[in-house]
Amino acid sequence: MLMALLSVSALAQTGDNAAQEAEVKKTMATFIQAFTNLDWEPFRAAFADDATVFYPRAIPGRADGRADFERDFRQVFEQIRNGRTKGPYLEVQPRDLKIQIAGDVAIVTFHLDDKPGFLNRRTVILQKRSGNWKILHLHASEVAIP
């Protein structure tokens, strides 16, 4: 009897994780689409107010909270836009996507091939808040490929 209960519980958790993983994938797809098109409102809405960000290149410090990361990303958006008025402005194609769920937290990792000679790595940590997945931390880094 105990084994049957444990099996049912494990299946319920697996189903719950699959549903949460699908929600996280949808959240990330919306975020990536907003970034690709430099669509400010859905992009900024993807983040929690207390989110932190490490950028890969020109911004050496950590952004702490909405005021910091919005200021920095507005600069990044303008640099990418470079006077153009119509998107898409970027081609963001995540490779090797992995999603790990731990309760109300999801860790999403992937690679980007957007700079020749470098492998760009991304880690996005999301937390489910009031029924919605929000980015709590974004870490961007790159490593030279020999």
Side-chain angles (χ1 to χ4, degrees), residues 84-140:
R84 294 177 289 167
T85 58
K86 186 170 178 158
Y89 298 93
L90 296 168
E91 185 176 331
V92 180
Q93 299 292 326
R95 286 191 312 105
D96 304 322
L97 182 76
K98 181 170 183 162
I99 298 174
Q100 298 167 280
I101 305 284
D104 66 347
V105 173
I107 302 167
V108 180
T109 55
F110 57 92
H111 296 106
L112 298 172
D113 287 328
D114 63 348
K115 186 177 178 187
F118 288 87
L119 178 63
N120 281 287
R121 304 175 294 184
R122 299 295 182 266
T123 301
V124 182
I125 300 172
L126 301 104
Q127 184 177 38
K128 197 165 195 178
R129 295 182 174 182
S130 302
N132 296 308
W133 289 98
K134 295 289 184 176
I135 297 171
L136 193 58
H137 179 72
L138 186 152
H139 188 110

Side-chain angles (χ1 to χ4, degrees), residues 1-85:
M1 179 69 166
L2 179 59
M3 290 305 286
L5 287 174
L6 290 175
S7 296
V8 169
S9 176
L11 286 173
Q13 287 178 349
T14 301
D16 188 43
N17 271 0
Q20 287 187 329
E21 186 171 322
E23 290 175 4
V24 169
K25 282 182 181 178
K26 183 177 178 185
T27 298
M28 288 300 300
T30 299
F31 171 70
I32 289 169
Q33 183 70 31
F35 192 39
T36 297
N37 292 316
L38 301 181
D39 192 356
W40 182 249
E41 285 306 318
F43 178 84
R44 71 178 292 280
F47 288 88
D49 289 339
D50 58 341
T52 55
V53 177
F54 281 124
Y55 302 92
R57 298 177 191 128
I59 303 169
R62 179 185 60 226
D64 281 316
R66 184 164 298 281
D68 280 359
F69 69 74
E70 284 191 4
R71 178 198 63 229
D72 296 341
F73 271 119
R74 283 188 186 276
Q75 291 174 356
V76 169
F77 273 39
E78 287 310 309
Q79 289 171 352
I80 293 169
R81 193 171 275 121
N82 195 23
R84 294 177 289 167
T85 58

